[in-house]
Amino acid sequence: MSVFQTVATLDEIPDGGMKQVVVAGSLVGLYRTGHDVYAIGDVCTHEEAYLTEGDFDPEDLEVECPLHGSRFNVESGAVRILPATKPVPSYEVKIEGDLVSVGPQRNASEE
Ligand code: FES
């Protein structure tokens, strides 16, 4: 069963930019490159920091945590650079027209 929740319109997320939203009570960061949008958990797994307050690199599809510089793949949530060692959850994203919807977690089993 997959439940998608509409959380934003495409033009609310700058191309090459990001936006924090709440999905089913969890903070999620949306990352946009052109017509693609990726969604990962917005709280760093190292300490308490919001990844959407860091730097997004649309070419490498990664975001750098503002606090200690860990980097996460925005597609999978995987850690690319320490000090974080645990991935953040990633979510399915559906775009219909201008509406961006976020679905179930992809890597919940790793949490
Ligand atoms: S809080 Fe994100 S790297 Fe430390």
Side-chain angles (χ1 to χ4, degrees), residues 43-51 64-72 81-84:
V43 181
C44 185
T45 54
H46 179 231
E47 287 178 15
E48 285 278 321
Y50 297 140
L51 299 178
E64 180 176 332
C65 177
L67 213 50
H68 311 106
S70 275
R71 293 191 196 169
F72 295 87
I81 296 203
L82 302 174

Short mmCIF file of all heavy atoms in Angstrom, two decimals, residues 43-51 64-72 81-84, ligand 1:
data_model
loop_
_atom_site.label_atom_id
_atom_site.label_comp_id
_atom_site.label_asym_id
_atom_site.label_seq_id
_atom_site.Cartn_x
_atom_site.Cartn_y
_atom_site.Cartn_z
N VAL A 43 16.68 15.55 8.88
CA VAL A 43 17.48 15.67 10.10
C VAL A 43 18.74 14.80 9.94
O VAL A 43 18.65 13.59 9.70
CB VAL A 43 16.68 15.23 11.34
CG1 VAL A 43 17.52 15.38 12.60
CG2 VAL A 43 15.40 16.05 11.45
N CYS A 44 19.88 15.44 10.06
CA CYS A 44 21.16 14.73 9.93
C CYS A 44 21.22 13.60 10.96
O CYS A 44 20.71 13.72 12.07
CB CYS A 44 22.31 15.71 10.18
SG CYS A 44 23.94 14.99 9.91
N THR A 45 21.86 12.49 10.60
CA THR A 45 21.95 11.35 11.52
C THR A 45 23.15 11.47 12.45
O THR A 45 23.37 10.60 13.29
CB THR A 45 22.05 10.03 10.74
OG1 THR A 45 23.15 10.12 9.82
CG2 THR A 45 20.77 9.74 9.98
N HIS A 46 23.93 12.52 12.31
CA HIS A 46 25.09 12.71 13.20
C HIS A 46 24.65 13.42 14.47
O HIS A 46 24.72 12.87 15.55
CB HIS A 46 26.18 13.48 12.46
CG HIS A 46 27.39 13.73 13.30
ND1 HIS A 46 27.94 14.98 13.44
CD2 HIS A 46 28.14 12.88 14.04
CE1 HIS A 46 29.00 14.89 14.24
NE2 HIS A 46 29.14 13.63 14.61
N GLU A 47 24.23 14.67 14.33
CA GLU A 47 23.62 15.39 15.45
C GLU A 47 22.37 16.07 14.92
O GLU A 47 21.88 15.72 13.87
CB GLU A 47 24.63 16.38 16.05
CG GLU A 47 25.71 15.66 16.86
CD GLU A 47 26.74 16.63 17.43
OE1 GLU A 47 26.49 17.84 17.45
OE2 GLU A 47 27.81 16.15 17.84
N GLU A 48 21.88 17.07 15.64
CA GLU A 48 20.64 17.72 15.22
C GLU A 48 20.95 18.87 14.27
O GLU A 48 21.39 19.93 14.72
CB GLU A 48 19.89 18.26 16.44
CG GLU A 48 19.20 17.18 17.26
CD GLU A 48 17.86 16.79 16.66
OE1 GLU A 48 17.15 17.67 16.16
OE2 GLU A 48 17.56 15.59 16.68
N ALA A 49 20.72 18.67 13.01
CA ALA A 49 20.87 19.76 12.05
C ALA A 49 19.95 19.46 10.87
O ALA A 49 19.71 18.29 10.55
CB ALA A 49 22.31 19.87 11.58
N TYR A 50 19.44 20.52 10.25
CA TYR A 50 18.58 20.34 9.08
C TYR A 50 19.43 20.41 7.82
O TYR A 50 20.12 21.41 7.57
CB TYR A 50 17.51 21.43 9.03
CG TYR A 50 16.56 21.39 10.20
CD1 TYR A 50 16.11 22.55 10.79
CD2 TYR A 50 16.11 20.16 10.70
CE1 TYR A 50 15.24 22.50 11.87
CE2 TYR A 50 15.25 20.10 11.77
CZ TYR A 50 14.82 21.28 12.36
OH TYR A 50 13.97 21.23 13.42
N LEU A 51 19.35 19.35 7.04
CA LEU A 51 20.17 19.30 5.82
C LEU A 51 19.76 20.38 4.83
O LEU A 51 20.60 20.88 4.07
CB LEU A 51 20.08 17.91 5.18
CG LEU A 51 20.57 16.77 6.09
CD1 LEU A 51 20.40 15.42 5.40
CD2 LEU A 51 22.03 16.98 6.48
N GLU A 64 25.26 18.89 1.70
CA GLU A 64 26.26 18.94 2.77
C GLU A 64 25.62 19.48 4.03
O GLU A 64 25.02 20.56 4.02
CB GLU A 64 27.42 19.83 2.33
CG GLU A 64 28.51 19.93 3.38
CD GLU A 64 29.70 20.75 2.91
OE1 GLU A 64 29.96 20.79 1.70
OE2 GLU A 64 30.36 21.35 3.77
N CYS A 65 25.76 18.73 5.12
CA CYS A 65 25.19 19.17 6.41
C CYS A 65 25.84 20.49 6.84
O CYS A 65 27.06 20.63 6.76
CB CYS A 65 25.43 18.08 7.46
SG CYS A 65 24.83 18.58 9.08
N PRO A 66 25.01 21.44 7.32
CA PRO A 66 25.57 22.74 7.70
C PRO A 66 26.46 22.68 8.95
O PRO A 66 27.26 23.57 9.18
CB PRO A 66 24.34 23.60 7.98
CG PRO A 66 23.26 22.62 8.32
CD PRO A 66 23.56 21.39 7.51
N LEU A 67 26.32 21.60 9.75
CA LEU A 67 27.01 21.61 11.04
C LEU A 67 28.45 21.08 10.96
O LEU A 67 29.39 21.75 11.36
CB LEU A 67 26.19 20.80 12.06
CG LEU A 67 26.24 21.29 13.49
CD1 LEU A 67 25.96 22.78 13.60
CD2 LEU A 67 25.22 20.52 14.34
N HIS A 68 28.62 19.85 10.46
CA HIS A 68 29.98 19.29 10.41
C HIS A 68 30.35 18.78 9.02
O HIS A 68 31.34 18.07 8.89
CB HIS A 68 30.14 18.13 11.41
CG HIS A 68 29.65 18.46 12.79
ND1 HIS A 68 28.48 17.94 13.29
CD2 HIS A 68 30.16 19.28 13.74
CE1 HIS A 68 28.27 18.42 14.53
NE2 HIS A 68 29.27 19.24 14.81
N GLY A 69 29.53 19.07 8.03
CA GLY A 69 29.96 18.80 6.66
C GLY A 69 29.76 17.39 6.13
O GLY A 69 30.29 17.06 5.08
N SER A 70 28.99 16.54 6.83
CA SER A 70 28.67 15.24 6.22
C SER A 70 27.92 15.48 4.92
O SER A 70 27.17 16.44 4.80
CB SER A 70 27.77 14.42 7.14
OG SER A 70 28.50 13.72 8.07
N ARG A 71 28.13 14.57 3.98
CA ARG A 71 27.38 14.70 2.72
C ARG A 71 26.52 13.47 2.50
O ARG A 71 26.98 12.35 2.71
CB ARG A 71 28.34 14.88 1.55
CG ARG A 71 29.04 16.20 1.65
CD ARG A 71 29.79 16.54 0.41
NE ARG A 71 30.71 17.61 0.72
CZ ARG A 71 31.67 18.01 -0.09
NH1 ARG A 71 31.82 17.45 -1.26
NH2 ARG A 71 32.46 18.99 0.28
N PHE A 72 25.31 13.73 2.04
CA PHE A 72 24.34 12.66 1.79
C PHE A 72 23.89 12.72 0.33
O PHE A 72 23.67 13.79 -0.22
CB PHE A 72 23.10 12.84 2.67
CG PHE A 72 23.36 12.69 4.14
CD1 PHE A 72 23.76 13.79 4.89
CD2 PHE A 72 23.21 11.46 4.77
CE1 PHE A 72 24.01 13.66 6.25
CE2 PHE A 72 23.46 11.32 6.13
CZ PHE A 72 23.85 12.42 6.87
N ILE A 81 30.12 11.31 2.92
CA ILE A 81 31.28 11.81 3.67
C ILE A 81 30.94 11.83 5.16
O ILE A 81 29.85 12.27 5.55
CB ILE A 81 31.66 13.23 3.17
CG1 ILE A 81 32.09 13.13 1.71
CG2 ILE A 81 32.74 13.85 4.04
CD1 ILE A 81 32.98 14.21 1.20
N LEU A 82 31.86 11.35 5.98
CA LEU A 82 31.70 11.34 7.44
C LEU A 82 31.67 12.80 7.93
O LEU A 82 32.02 13.68 7.18
CB LEU A 82 32.88 10.58 8.06
CG LEU A 82 33.05 9.14 7.60
CD1 LEU A 82 34.33 8.57 8.18
CD2 LEU A 82 31.85 8.31 7.98
N PRO A 83 31.28 13.07 9.19
CA PRO A 83 31.21 12.13 10.31
C PRO A 83 29.92 11.33 10.46
O PRO A 83 29.91 10.38 11.25
CB PRO A 83 31.38 13.05 11.53
CG PRO A 83 30.82 14.35 11.10
CD PRO A 83 31.18 14.47 9.64
N ALA A 84 28.85 11.65 9.77
CA ALA A 84 27.66 10.80 9.89
C ALA A 84 27.98 9.43 9.32
O ALA A 84 28.77 9.31 8.37
CB ALA A 84 26.49 11.43 9.14
S1 FES B 1 25.18 17.26 12.49
FE1 FES B 1 25.38 16.77 10.41
S2 FES B 1 27.45 16.25 10.23
FE2 FES B 1 27.25 16.69 12.33
#
